[in-house]
Amino acid sequence: MLLFKTSSDTFESVIRNQCHASFGIPNEWHPGELVIVSKNKKDCGENEKQVQYTMRLVDIRPITGEEIDLYWPGSTGRWRYLVVCNDTMKIEHPFDLKDILGKEAARYNPVMTFCKIDAGHEELLMARLPV
């Protein structure tokens, strides 16, 4: 399971277009892998939860300038890779990582774009997800 973080500036496009962009590639990823999409906490509205959607990873490939302009206008040159997903699902009861992981959620605070979810945390999160 992967965690994708996104700002409010890119969140809607990530969900609508079922893709995410990054400067690097996760060390371990697999087609079909579950991805949880988290809006940056500072970008959440009052009472809005960070984790609202899941996706399935399809591919990670170099991104073109045209794709960046199409999905995230004004961000040309910001990212090197396009993370293509499908099967986007809205979570019926959105949550913050700390709601599930407690103080261990702090492990994911420094994440800027993506990271692999620790195995023990994955089990806890899977119990909460509609997959």
Side-chain angles (χ1 to χ4, degrees), residues 54-115:
T54 63
M55 300 176 162
R56 292 282 174 182
L57 195 136
V58 174
D59 191 21
I60 301 175
R61 61 175 175 73
I63 194 168
T64 67
E66 293 81 21
E67 288 170 319
I68 292 174
D69 287 341
L70 175 66
Y71 299 134
W72 305 284
S75 297
T76 302
R78 184 172 173 189
W79 299 295
R80 294 178 45 205
Y81 297 96
L82 182 69
V83 183
V84 181
C85 297
N86 65 10
D87 294 335
T88 299
M89 293 180 59
K90 185 163 181 60
I91 297 172
E92 188 173 341
H93 301 287
F95 59 89
D96 291 338
L97 290 176
K98 70 178 181 178
D99 297 340
I100 309 297
L101 304 177
K103 60 185 174 183
E104 290 184 36
R107 179 252 186 266
Y108 303 100
N109 288 348
V111 174
M112 295 299 290
T113 308
F114 63 81
C115 77

Side-chain angles (χ1 to χ4, degrees), residues 6-17 39 52-53:
T6 183
S7 70
S8 60
D9 293 339
T10 60
F11 183 78
E12 294 299 325
S13 183
V14 167
I15 300 306
R16 182 177 56 257
N17 296 300
K39 187 185 278 190
Q52 302 174 30
Y53 291 88

Side-chain angles (χ1 to χ4, degrees), residues 109-125:
N109 288 348
V111 174
M112 295 299 290
T113 308
F114 63 81
C115 77
K116 189 81 166 171
I117 297 287
D118 296 339
H121 295 161
E122 183 174 338
E123 288 180 34
L124 295 170
L125 291 165

